[in-house]
Each structure stands twice: as C-alpha cells, then as structure tokens.
Amino acid sequence: MNRKKWIGNIVKYTLYALVATFFIWAIANSYFDYIFTQSGTFLVLLRQHIVLVLVSSILAILVAVPAGILITRPKFKKAEWLVSNVANLGQTIPSLAVLALMISILGIGFKSAVFALFIYSILPIFRNTVAGIDSIDKNMIDAAKGMGMKPHQILFRVELPNSAYSILAGIRTAVVLNIGTAALAYVVGAGGLGVWIFTGINLFDNGFLISGAIPVTLLAILADYILRKIEYIVVPKGSRRIEKA
Amino acid sequence: MISFKNVTKRYGEEIVAVNDVDFTVEEGKIVVLLGPSGCGKTTLLRMVNRLESISEGEIIINNENSKDLDAIELRRKIGYVIQSNGLFPNMTIEENVMLVPDLLGWSKKEKRERFEYLMKLIGLDAKDYGKRYPHELSGGQQQRIGVVRALAADPPVMLMDEPFGALDPIIRDKIQEEFLQIQREVKKTILFVSHDIDEAIKMADKIVLLRNGEIMQFDTPSKMLSHPKNEFVSQFFGKDRAIKSLSLHTVEDLQTIIGLGPVDESVQDTKTINIHQDLRNTLSMLMNQEADQVVVKNDQDENIGTITIDLVQKYLHFEIKGKMSASQEG
C-alpha cells in the first residue's frame, strides 16, 4: 500500500469515528428525542422542507436547462457571455438578502422561499448545461450536420445525450445546496426543518438544533444518492467512460 | 459526378478562400484535393454538401445544382467522412453506422442487412461489434467504421476530409489499401482531401493541386509527377518526385518494358516480392537489405525472375525521366 492510500484511510476512518462519536453523544443526551416525542410536528416540518426543495428545484430545472440549451444555439451564442455573467451575479447576492428582498415583493411565506431557492438553484444547473453542451467535440457536430441531421435531431440525439452527465451533475449540486439553504425558509415564515434549527439556536437547545439539522443532512445525502442512481440510468453507456476520463 | 463551375468562396470583401475553381470528378473516380494548409481544399469540399456557402459559381452533383436542393436532403445523399471519425460516443457501432438510413426511415430489416453487408466489407464481425461503443474500438477500427457509416445509405457521392490523417503510418497504409479494395467494389464518386503527397498519389485517379484557393494543376498523378505545369507544382512534389512516381508503377510494368533478371538458383535466402508490388516499395526493400537482388514471385507463387537496383534505375530512366525530358523539350 502506498502513502497516499494510507493517508486516505486514516482520514476516512477518523471521519467515521467522529460521526459515530457524535451520534453516541447525541443519543446519550437524548438530543433526537423531539423527533419521536413531537413526531407530528417533525413530519409536518419535514414535508414542508421537501416540498420547498422539490418545487424550487423543479422550477429551476425547467428554466435553467432550456435556457442553457437556448444560449448554446448558434443564434444566441453571442449572448452567452452576458447571460452567464448575470447568472453569476445572481449567485453573489447572499441568500438571506434574496429572502429579505422577496418578502417585500411576494410577502411572507411559501412563495418567497420558493422563489429565493429557485433563483439560487438556477446557476449551477444553467452553468453545467452550457458547459456540457460546449464541451462536445465540434467535429462530432460537424459530422452530424454533414450527415444531414436536422438541428433538433442533433440536439436530442447527439448534444443532450453526450452532455447528460454534466447537466445531471449540475442538478445534483443544485438540489444538495438547495436542501441546506431551504433551512433558511424559516426566516420568511415558510416552515421547513429550519424552524427547529433556529429554535435550537435561539433557545440554546441542542435537542431542537440536532433534531432539525441531522434530518437536513440525511436528506441531502439521500438526494445525492438518488440523483447518482438516476444519473447512471440516464447517461448513455458509451458516454459514461468518456466523462470519467 | 461532381462538377465545380467557376466556384468562388469569399469571406467578407477581402478574403478569397477559393478562387474560380473549375473541375469535374467523373463518375466512380477518386479526385484528391491536395495542397498546403490554408489552400482552401477543405472549404472546397465543404461547399459540396453546403456546410460552407458558395459565393459565386455552382456545384453540379449528378446533374442537379446543389443550390436547388434542400441542404438536409442533399447531405443525406452524400457520404461524409472526417479526420477525427466523428462517431457519436452515446450510440453503439450499429446505431452510428445506421444513422443516415435511420434518418431516411429504412425498415429494421433493411438496416440490419445493410449493416451486416457493410461490416463484412471491412472484415469486422457484425454481431460482435454491433453492440459495442466507439470507445471500445481501436483508432483504426473507429476510422473504418467512420468510412462505412458514410457508405451506409449507399450514396453515389462521398466526401472525405483527410479521413486517414490521424492514423499511424502502418495502419494508414493498410486502411488505404482496404479502402481502395472497397472502392473497386462500390465505385463511388469521391472527393478526397489530403495534405499527404504519397496518399494523394496512391488514392487518386486525378489530383487537384491547390494553392491559395486556386488550381495549380488538375491531372492524373503520373502526369503531375512527370509534367508539372509550373514551378509550384514541381516544388510541391519535391526533387524526389521521380522516386515518388515509382509508386505508380509495379514490378509487372518493369517486366513488360525492360524485363526481369534471371533467377540464380544458387543464391539462398533472398527476399521475395509479389509482381503486383509497386516499385517504390521494391526499391526501398532493395536498399534496406544487404542482398543485391530480390526474387519476384507471381500470384501462383512461382519465381519468375529477379529485380535489382540497377534494373529499377534503368526503368526510372526509360519510363519516367524519358517522359520528363520529353515534356521539357516540348
């Protein structure tokens, strides 16, 4: 075994040990009790959290993927620089500020939270869609054109299958980020597991804090896992190896 | 047949990429567009299937003006092969090869049969390779697939843009031979771009030598080597063009013109060569080994004579130099 592997293993097992210690400590102090004693509330918050993430992510996918496709069409190619920078700029505004701004426009509640999360999810998806399509070998597109494929055939049979990996990676990043950021929805009164997290912070109550935060983390890990599985199914077999290389 | 009629390509007002080009690729022949980089050969090729627009003049493909046809329809009727094979990594080999027939709406059975026929042409097993993906094939195999993909819908016309340029010399040589073999069977009208003089001499029925978008000479390879029209042509083919032209002649040609040497049975373990081998390879064989002579064998594997450097030189003098000096006098 070489040195790199050694260091890797040490880091890995140290992390496992830390996580295990944390859970033992939390369970010993019965910090997870709220999940069971107030399971009704917990389920409501969990559902709110998931709905927030799902609605905002799906909206973001519906906007960002077509936008990415559109901007890579020859007609709009020139606008790519501008649009990418606007999207980048959107990302630089702190999420709390976006939430606060949304309250003044959409009022308190679900709509504001969804909108803020939606704005936040657009960039990673958009950027990965554009990068995925741009990274396709120009010779391949040339061959497709030269063989008499129509633009929509090139898009659906060549460009999208070969950039699927990149697009899905963007969606995965966005959703995982989104699950974490959705905890802030509490600030605009949209509920979610953020309610317990912020309650815990305000009351110095580790029980609430951990009962809120750990499910958020697990949700993020679960989403990542599911999306990886989807990725494996959607990305064509022939393109998979190339992306790795 | 592909006819270029006073074809010009301009980018903006200033840049002329192709200037007043006029030639015809006869039915079933290979014409190679040859020239240094930036001479407009690829642009010229891409104007045929309208990947580049034509500024002036017209291109007639099998009696139809390319301008009058729908670009998509036109392209589906023209086989197109590019240097970096352009195979789609997300599709299997069979899907790649059968793409144009698929676009044209062929039935499953027709596609299946055509695929099997094409794979037989290049000597790959249809069952085994059909389900594989491009990355699972070697560079040479990928390029072969690129070539048969262009043949898939049996187009009368093919465009090949440096199709073998990315392959290593040994594989390239083999695939060129193989392709010529296929061409003898399918007899397509082919426009072929190359910057490799040897490849052009080998593949071409006629060569179009281009410089700065203008035709320097349009001729058969042997004419071009023996009767270069101007300074550029003779320089482009180089001082060794007499030797290059040897690859256009076979041992058989030499036998009919000046005859082979007698077989000396007492000499053991000399190399042998087939009578259809070209003289250039023969010459390099003679020069690479210690022996003074190589035994020539016919297709029945009989020794029919020997060949020496002297004989090749004599042939070169009679056949090629003779022509060249005749042209200079004339």
Side-chain angles (χ1 to χ4, degrees):
Chain A
M1 214 185 281
N2 55 29
R3 231 180 108 197
K4 244 186 194 165
K5 250 186 185 165
W6 266 104
I7 295 172
N9 276 340
I10 291 170
V11 171
K12 203 160 88 183
Y13 291 117
T14 316
L15 272 176
Y16 285 162
L18 279 175
V19 171
T21 319
F22 169 80
F23 272 93
I24 292 164
W25 168 76
I27 291 165
N29 288 296
S30 48
Y31 285 151
F32 288 119
D33 280 8
Y34 290 114
I35 295 177
F36 305 103
T37 56
Q38 302 187 23
S39 59
T41 320
F42 173 73
L43 288 177
V44 170
L45 294 179
L46 182 68
R47 213 197 63 223
Q48 282 177 335
H49 203 100
I50 292 173
V51 169
L52 276 172
V53 171
L54 274 182
V55 173
S56 58
S57 298
I58 288 169
L59 282 176
I61 293 168
L62 289 179
V63 171
V65 174
I69 291 169
L70 207 66
I71 209 71
T72 47
R73 298 308 94 194
K75 267 185 224 163
F76 298 101
K77 200 85 198 167
K78 276 182 191 148
E80 190 184 319
W81 177 85
L82 184 72
V83 175
S84 295
N85 276 295
V86 169
N88 271 324
L89 196 71
Q91 202 76 358
T92 58
I93 308 168
S95 31
L96 266 173
V98 177
L99 280 169
L101 264 171
M102 282 310 121
I103 296 174
S104 58
I105 300 166
L106 294 168
I108 282 173
F110 183 74
K111 269 196 249 165
S112 295
V114 164
F115 192 81
L117 293 174
F118 157 78
I119 293 282
Y120 254 71
S121 304
I122 283 182
L123 183 76
I125 302 175
F126 173 79
R127 203 163 40 191
N128 272 41
T129 305
V130 173
I133 293 175
D134 278 348
S135 70
I136 291 173
D137 187 359
K138 294 287 161 288
N139 286 319
M140 212 154 83
I141 304 296
D142 190 64
K145 259 194 224 160
M147 291 167 77
M149 287 174 99
K150 293 175 183 158
H152 72 268
Q153 288 167 330
I154 296 178
L155 175 66
F156 287 108
R157 294 172 76 161
V158 180
E159 287 180 297
L160 285 184
N162 287 309
S163 54
Y165 182 89
S166 175
I167 295 172
L168 281 166
I171 291 174
R172 197 153 48 86
T173 312
V175 170
V176 171
L177 274 176
N178 204 341
I179 290 172
T181 316
L184 290 175
Y186 159 78
V187 179
V188 292
L193 289 163
V195 173
W196 276 8
I197 297 174
F198 281 95
T199 308
I201 293 172
N202 292 336
L203 300 177
F204 297 107
D205 184 336
N206 281 343
F208 274 123
L209 183 63
I210 288 170
S211 298
I214 295 301
V216 170
T217 314
L218 293 179
L219 211 56
I221 293 171
L222 183 72
D224 188 68
Y225 178 79
I226 291 171
L227 287 167
R228 270 180 204 278
K229 287 283 158 205
I230 293 177
E231 207 171 86
Y232 193 76
I233 296 163
V234 175
V235 176
K237 199 173 150 225
S239 321
R240 237 177 264 152
R241 199 202 64 133
I242 289 169
E243 293 293 344
K244 265 186 227 156
Chain B
M1 200 177 74
I2 314 170
S3 296
F4 291 78
K5 299 204 164 151
N6 307 96
V7 173
T8 297
K9 173 76 187 177
R10 267 193 211 97
Y11 293 107
E13 291 295 307
E14 303 277 297
I15 304 152
V16 182
V18 172
N19 192 7
D20 199 21
V21 163
D22 204 291
F23 71 94
T24 297
V25 187
E26 299 291 342
E27 189 89 45
K29 299 284 184 212
I30 301 178
V31 168
V32 174
L33 298 172
L34 181 67
S37 50
C39 70
K41 52 191 193 295
T42 296
T43 309
L44 201 54
L45 182 96
R46 290 165 62 89
M47 282 157 92
V48 177
N49 62 1
R50 287 182 41 195
L51 287 172
E52 299 279 354
S53 61
I54 303 168
S55 306
E56 273 166 47
E58 49 196 29
I59 298 174
I60 311 289
I61 304 162
N62 291 334
N63 303 321
E64 284 181 295
N65 192 330
S66 70
K67 272 181 201 159
D68 300 337
L69 297 162
D70 175 57
I72 301 285
E73 298 274 314
L74 173 77
R75 287 171 194 161
R76 288 179 185 176
K77 280 194 274 185
I78 297 176
Y80 185 46
V81 189
I82 58 174
Q83 180 175 1
S84 60
N85 70 63
L87 297 180
F88 305 122
N90 57 312
M91 299 181 195
T92 62
I93 298 304
E94 183 165 359
E95 286 167 342
N96 263 294
V97 173
M98 286 297 114
L99 190 76
V100 177
D102 193 47
L103 295 174
L104 293 170
W106 287 23
S107 77
K108 241 187 177 159
K109 191 164 163 276
E110 285 174 309
K111 282 192 279 185
R112 186 75 221 167
E113 282 169 7
R114 183 72 183 158
F115 180 65
E116 276 165 9
Y117 166 77
L118 290 169
M119 292 300 273
K120 208 179 264 171
L121 271 186
I122 52 169
L124 294 177
D125 182 48
K127 261 216 188 78
D128 182 15
Y129 284 90
K131 297 281 161 286
R132 292 202 204 180
Y133 286 90
H135 70 77
E136 296 170 310
L137 271 56
S138 70
Q141 288 171 335
Q142 288 185 14
Q143 202 56 47
R144 285 188 179 100
I145 298 295
V147 170
V148 292
R149 182 173 69 172
L151 284 166
D154 208 11
V157 172
M158 274 175 78
L159 304 176
M160 306 180 82
D161 190 356
E162 303 206 21
F164 312 128
L167 301 171
D168 67 73
I170 295 168
I171 305 277
R172 189 191 310 152
D173 217 49
K174 228 175 119 192
I175 295 189
Q176 284 168 349
E177 290 291 344
E178 195 180 281
F179 180 72
L180 285 173
Q181 199 85 41
I182 293 172
Q183 167 64 1
R184 260 170 242 139
E185 184 166 340
V186 296
K187 296 194 179 63
K188 300 292 176 197
T189 305
I190 297 171
L191 195 61
F192 190 112
V193 164
S194 180
H195 65 256
D196 177 352
I197 296 167
D198 296 317
E199 181 175 66
I201 292 171
K202 188 170 175 183
M203 307 295 288
D205 290 305
K206 276 184 165 183
I207 295 176
V208 175
L209 184 62
L210 289 159
R211 183 178 69 165
N212 300 333
E214 285 179 46
I215 295 185
M216 293 289 108
Q217 189 166 353
F218 174 48
D219 238 324
T220 61
S222 67
K223 275 262 184 62
M224 213 164 238
L225 288 163
S226 60
H227 298 73
K229 245 186 187 171
N230 54 42
E231 192 64 13
F232 176 78
V233 179
S234 64
Q235 262 179 14
F236 189 83
F237 283 101
K239 288 214 166 31
D240 58 343
R241 62 179 200 275
I243 290 175
K244 280 189 180 118
S245 70
L246 277 178
S247 56
L248 292 166
H249 302 261
T250 63
V251 178
E252 198 170 17
D253 297 336
L254 183 141
Q255 188 197 19
T256 38
I257 305 270
I258 53 176
L260 297 168
V263 183
D264 184 355
E265 298 292 347
S266 64
V267 183
Q268 292 297 312
D269 64 64
T270 45
K271 286 264 165 75
T272 60
I273 200 162
N274 186 280
I275 191 156
H276 298 299
Q277 185 65 256
D278 71 63
L279 285 176
R280 194 172 177 189
N281 277 335
T282 312
L283 185 65
S284 52
M285 219 172 140
L286 282 163
M287 293 173 95
N288 284 344
Q289 66 163 15
E290 302 292 311
D292 300 332
Q293 58 178 42
V294 165
V295 174
V296 179
K297 286 193 181 242
N298 63 10
D299 287 336
Q300 283 74 45
D301 216 30
E302 298 157 341
N303 296 348
I304 51 169
T306 55
I307 193 163
T308 60
I309 291 183
D310 284 346
L311 277 177
V312 176
Q313 200 178 12
K314 214 167 151 192
Y315 180 78
L316 192 68
H317 191 77
F318 274 131
E319 187 58 18
I320 299 159
K321 287 263 176 65
K323 273 186 194 166
M324 281 181 191
S325 56
S327 78
Q328 273 158 18
E329 283 158 23

